[in-house]
Amino acid sequence: MARFVRFLCSALVLSLLLTGCQTAPKAHDCQFVAMDTFMSLTAYGENAQTALTRAQEEILALDTALDVNNEKSRVYAINHRQQDTVPLSGEVGQLLSLSLELARETGGAFDPTIYPVVRKWGFTTGAYQLPTSHELEQALSLVGHEDLFLGQGSLTLKEGAQLDFGGIGKGWAGDRAAQALREQGIASAILRLGGNIQTLGTKPDGSLWTVGIQDPATGDNLATLAVADLSVVTSGSYQRYFTVNGQVYHHIIDPATGLPADNGLTSVTIIAPSGARCDALSTALFVMGPDGAARFWREHRDFEAVLVFDDGSVAITNGLQGNFTLTPAFSHRRLEVLE
Ligand code: AMP
Ligand code: MG
């Protein structure tokens, strides 16, 4: 997570006249770095600048609370505790409670206690290294969401267990930022928190937002999605990785093995109202692999998904038909619709 938080928040008037004498609502823009990623928030309407400042404050506060590397963060305090039981309430308590629900729902494919393993690979510090199998085994023995006990105002963890909200924090932050905007009366906004997109309402003219999906192999725009009032969150092996002897090691870890998930998927995008749920599910379905992800979707059907495979082919869930378009350069890609 970012130890440094540089931000420049400026009101940029991006759009002017719609037609003749009618003026379109002004787009206000706020850009900054938080949670180790570039964020760009755009909102329309009166009060948008004040609202964006509130949204930004929510995100920065969460960055400070969740940063595993920041000695002042709540998560750092939990991970470096002296006793097994620590006080925990407020927002981090709510986030952990939701994370545990999602861990159970995904059969542990998403697991907020993955940190000892993630740390061994160096993904949170950038000091990448290949752990030995003994080190991985040791780190894995500390992982297990079922070993946490979250009580009224307290959390009990087994010795050595550590939390990592890297797989859900940006989505949660997007939800909080969207809520802050709504409370300020904003009805139209698009929030870009790195690869996590959160839309509020429609565009001011009533049309859908267009969100791009990246081709993992080339970084080009693979497809577009038309959405309103939804989050669009992507997990991909291309987002953070290092290479040793030609072998790529990425940051989405299979909690069953401690190794980067390697199952034929290169990205998973989840589309649903809640950013936090999208975020956890994008990580979890990436870990589950093509068959597990399709099965999970068929059992739930309360979200939509785009899966990109390492041969470049694409699968979408049937609810996206009509709103998903491969860009012309990728129109030859094999596209399967999951029913
Ligand atoms: P995302 O980009 O949302 O898929 O999240 C990846 C980040 O979440 C990683 O950088 C780790 O910090 C953390 N993480 C990796 N694997 C898992 C997992 N299986 N469950 C929960 N968090 C994970
Ligand atoms: Mg995620």
Side-chain angles (χ1 to χ4, degrees), residues 109-111 114 118 164 166-167 235 239 251-253 255 279 282-283 287:
F110 169 82
D111 193 323
I114 195 75
V118 170
D164 175 8
S235 286
Q239 291 172 334
H251 68 139
I252 305 172
I253 304 294
D279 199 348
S282 68
T283 307
V287 168

Side-chain angles (χ1 to χ4, degrees), residues 190 192 197 199 203 208-212 224-227:
I190 183 160
R192 299 174 189 280
I197 312 295
T199 61
K203 287 190 205 168
L208 300 178
W209 303 101
T210 305
V211 175
T224 57
L225 272 171
V227 294

Side-chain angles (χ1 to χ4, degrees), residues 110 166-168 196 233-235 278-284:
F110 169 82
I168 190 171
N196 289 31
V233 177
T234 300
S235 286
C278 283
D279 199 348
L281 290 187
S282 68
T283 307

